[in-house]
Amino acid sequence: MQLFHGRKMTYFSIALLFIVAGLTVLITVGSINWNTTDDDETFTMIEGEYSVNGGEWKPTLDEVMVHEDFQKLTIRGRLTNVPKGDNVLGLTANDAWFTLKSDGKVIESNYRADDSVFKNTPGYTINYVSAEDIGDGQHIELELIDPYPLLSSKCLTEFFDMYVGTRATLYEMLFRYKSPTILFCILICFFGLFSFPIAGIVLGKINYRYLAFSVFCFFGGVFILAQSLFSYMPLWITEPVQCMAATTVTTHFCMLSALIYVKVCLEKRTNKIIGNIIIAAAALLTATALILHYTGVSDLYAGKPFMLIFVAVCAIILTFCLISEVNTKRETILTLTSMIPVMLCLMLDAFNEFFYFTSVPLFEIGMALTLLNQIVILIIDLRKQYLESIRYQQMQKELYEAKVSLMVSQIQPHFLYNSLTSIAMMCTKDPKKARNATINFADYLRGNMNSLKQKAPVPFTQELEHLKKYLMLEEMRFGDMLNIEYDITTTDFVIPQLSVQPLVENAVKHGVGMKEDGGTVTIATREEDDCYKVIITDDGVGFDTTKPVRDDGRSHVGMENVRQRLKELCDAQVIIESELGKGTVATIRIPKTENG
């Protein structure tokens, strides 16, 4: 069903443009530095020396220390920025244990002395130390322990960070540094929740490719948001382990939705089976990770890199499946080009978990490129649909004009005069027969007029009843010279209204009607494996099919209209076979695919 045409499509495109422009403005405004506090007055570090895994002590050089791989890191010295007055020292710790000492005395730590299943999982925490506890220029010692020895350590600042300010400073930093990312994620989620489903409506049908990409967009936006705000999560979720779990679960669902999107685009049966197996395995892996987490066997963060590796392998398999279908369907090529950036970045991110080689947000970049690619595809599809809607309207107009022309051709003055004259002659000879003929003639005219309102094909039984009324009038005119036979073996199909009559009319007028002793017209139907056939046969004079149509004495205006309507509405074709002196066979071949 076509819901959007012409002006409505234009309105939708303009609205989409304004929404994207508005969100772009928001992103620009959000990126402005509204916090006038200088970085050196906000962030702080310990200036002195550090030791990795109990080794030798080295000077605390930022560019070296923050990239050290460690299981235990000890830093001692003095703070470069000391909290004073009402200010506090803020400590953000992510998936690492920390202990902060001042002059040898423990003043803050995120170790928990409980017996819960999560006692060995640090999670995400935000701690505050008052200026009184720190003192001015006292000796500070920080000990960090990474409880995940199998994973590669990333930047120190991703595990732990310190800042000086009030308890509201973290919100200020959130707005200052994360506004562009937040608004970018809102944009992605917006397209996931609204634009792509609306595109499915505009395209006139449920498009599972767009629907699956909508889900992927939404979870992708949530994933990027969670990965960007993980240090701020304890502001809203006070339980450290639940902060970590909420962030990591978004990874699982994002990866799963990406695999589902690729699987939906597969067409070949073998590839679909492979896709179903991969989706089932990924879902099972996610469920297993959750069970192991909440039973305390292995938390979600410990299993996240292995989940990424598994998904990366699955992505490679599904990509090869897509490549094997490149020649099958246009959507497959578009899906392949759309998913290459995000799949490639996903695989790089997975390896980055084990072999840390960059701090660049690879998946975010891949997601942005994929989204941009998909928006371009969406615009192309909408433009194509717009052009098709114009063509559809033009086709409907032409079909309507063809039906009017066909109806007029069937009610030509000589046919009306001949029918009415025959009825008038019967009024004195056989009034009862004349009455029936008058009713039949009225029904025939009503059927022709009603055909103008009928756009879709009608059951063949309906077309056959109308045809019988026409033939009754012709039998009344030709008398014994016209013999009509029916060989109907199937009626379980549809056909455009008034599409058989022109063929029968040619058989009557130009076939049997031109023969001195008349003849027989046979109307038959047949069902074959791939099609239905309507066959009109006459044993009349026939004609030479090699001659130009304008020279054979037949009427072809109605025939051309019939051919056009049969092709447009049923993808059917008309085949004419004739031989001089032997008769003509006209066959309408209707594919079964167009008849359900």
Side-chain angles (χ1 to χ4, degrees), residues 95-97 112 117-124 146-149 151 240-242 244-245 248-249 252 285-286 288-307:
D95 299 311
W97 300 112
R112 295 189 297 275
V117 295
F118 301 120
K119 63 183 179 181
N120 296 319
T121 303
Y124 303 162
D146 178 11
Y148 303 99
L151 306 182
V241 178
Q242 297 308 323
M244 179 273 292
T248 309
V249 163
H252 285 261
L285 184 62
T286 300
T288 302
L290 290 170
I291 293 172
L292 293 177
H293 173 80
Y294 286 104
T295 55
V297 177
S298 176
D299 63 64
L300 284 170
Y301 185 77
K304 173 186 170 183
F306 301 101
M307 170 67 177

Side-chain angles (χ1 to χ4, degrees), residues 400-448:
Y400 180 80
E401 293 174 351
K403 288 176 67 175
V404 172
S405 176
L406 180 61
M407 187 200 73
V408 171
S409 71
Q410 305 308 313
I411 315 178
Q412 295 180 16
H414 73 272
F415 176 75
L416 293 176
Y417 298 153
N418 291 337
S419 298
L420 291 173
T421 301
S422 298
I423 292 172
M425 293 175 61
M426 282 190 292
C427 286
T428 54
K429 296 182 180 180
D430 191 344
K432 185 177 180 180
K433 188 175 181 181
R435 178 178 177 277
N436 292 335
T438 303
I439 295 173
N440 187 73
F441 184 57
D443 289 341
Y444 171 75
L445 293 178
R446 186 181 299 111
N448 275 22

Side-chain angles (χ1 to χ4, degrees), residues 4-261:
F4 287 79
H5 299 295
R7 187 173 296 176
K8 290 185 179 180
M9 179 71 73
T10 303
Y11 288 160
F12 173 78
S13 301
I14 293 174
L16 185 61
L17 180 62
F18 271 107
I19 290 170
V20 173
L23 287 173
T24 303
V25 171
L26 285 177
I27 291 174
T28 305
V29 172
S31 64
I32 298 175
N33 186 355
W34 296 102
N35 192 336
T36 57
T37 305
D38 187 77
D39 285 356
D40 293 337
E41 297 178 1
T42 303
F43 294 100
T44 184
M45 64 172 290
I46 299 174
E47 193 174 55
E49 55 186 2
Y50 73 97
S51 172
V52 177
N53 301 328
E56 63 176 315
W57 291 92
K58 307 174 186 177
T60 54
L61 299 176
D62 232 6
E63 61 274 12
V64 176
M65 183 180 67
V66 295
H67 294 295
E68 289 274 15
D69 289 338
F70 68 90
Q71 299 307 317
K72 180 181 178 181
L73 177 67
T74 305
I75 312 172
R76 62 191 184 188
R78 298 181 183 277
L79 292 175
T80 57
N81 185 14
V82 181
K84 298 178 181 179
D86 294 333
N87 283 346
V88 296
L89 177 67
L91 312 170
T92 60
N94 305 292
D95 299 311
W97 300 112
F98 81 88
T99 300
L100 184 68
K101 299 177 182 179
S102 177
D103 288 336
K105 179 184 176 182
V106 176
I107 58 175
E108 193 62 54
S109 177
N110 66 344
Y111 282 96
R112 295 189 297 275
D114 57 30
D115 296 326
S116 70
V117 295
F118 301 120
K119 63 183 179 181
N120 296 319
T121 303
Y124 303 162
T125 58
I126 298 175
N127 300 77
Y128 301 101
V129 180
S130 67
E132 295 178 357
D133 293 330
I134 294 293
D136 189 4
Q138 293 185 355
H139 183 271
I140 299 295
E141 182 177 311
L142 173 67
E143 181 182 271
L144 289 173
I145 295 178
D146 178 11
Y148 303 99
L150 294 179
L151 306 182
S152 172
S153 296
K154 295 188 177 181
C155 289
L156 171 60
T157 53
E158 293 189 32
F159 280 108
F160 188 85
D161 214 347
M162 297 187 296
Y163 66 92
V164 174
T166 66
R167 291 177 180 265
T169 299
L170 207 57
Y171 283 101
E172 296 173 3
M173 293 166 60
L174 172 66
F175 181 76
R176 179 179 182 183
Y177 298 110
K178 298 298 181 181
S179 291
T181 302
I182 292 173
L183 292 171
F184 173 69
C185 294
I186 291 174
L187 177 63
I188 293 178
C189 292
F190 168 81
F191 275 106
L193 288 175
F194 300 104
S195 294
F196 290 111
I198 289 174
I201 297 175
V202 173
L203 293 174
K205 60 182 179 180
I206 298 177
N207 190 310
Y208 290 103
R209 182 168 62 89
Y210 278 125
L211 182 61
F213 191 82
S214 298
V215 175
F216 174 50
C217 255
F218 175 76
F219 283 113
V222 173
F223 167 76
I224 296 174
L225 188 64
Q227 296 302 310
S228 301
L229 303 183
F230 66 91
S231 293
Y232 302 89
M233 293 289 283
L235 289 173
W236 312 291
I237 304 176
T238 57
E239 171 56 46
V241 178
Q242 297 308 323
C243 284
M244 179 273 292
T247 303
T248 309
V249 163
T250 62
T251 305
H252 285 261
F253 281 102
C254 180
M255 302 303 105
L256 189 59
S257 63
L259 296 177
I260 291 174
Y261 169 60

Side-chain angles (χ1 to χ4, degrees), residues 47 77 148 192 201 329 347 415 456 481 561 570 588:
E47 193 174 55
Y148 303 99
I201 297 175
K329 205 173 182 183
M347 287 182 279
F415 176 75
M481 291 184 62
N561 286 338
C570 292
I588 301 175

Side-chain angles (χ1 to χ4, degrees), residues 304-314 346-347 350-351 354:
K304 173 186 170 183
F306 301 101
M307 170 67 177
L308 290 176
I309 292 294
F310 170 80
V311 172
V313 172
C314 293
L346 187 155
M347 287 182 279
F351 289 114
F354 291 92

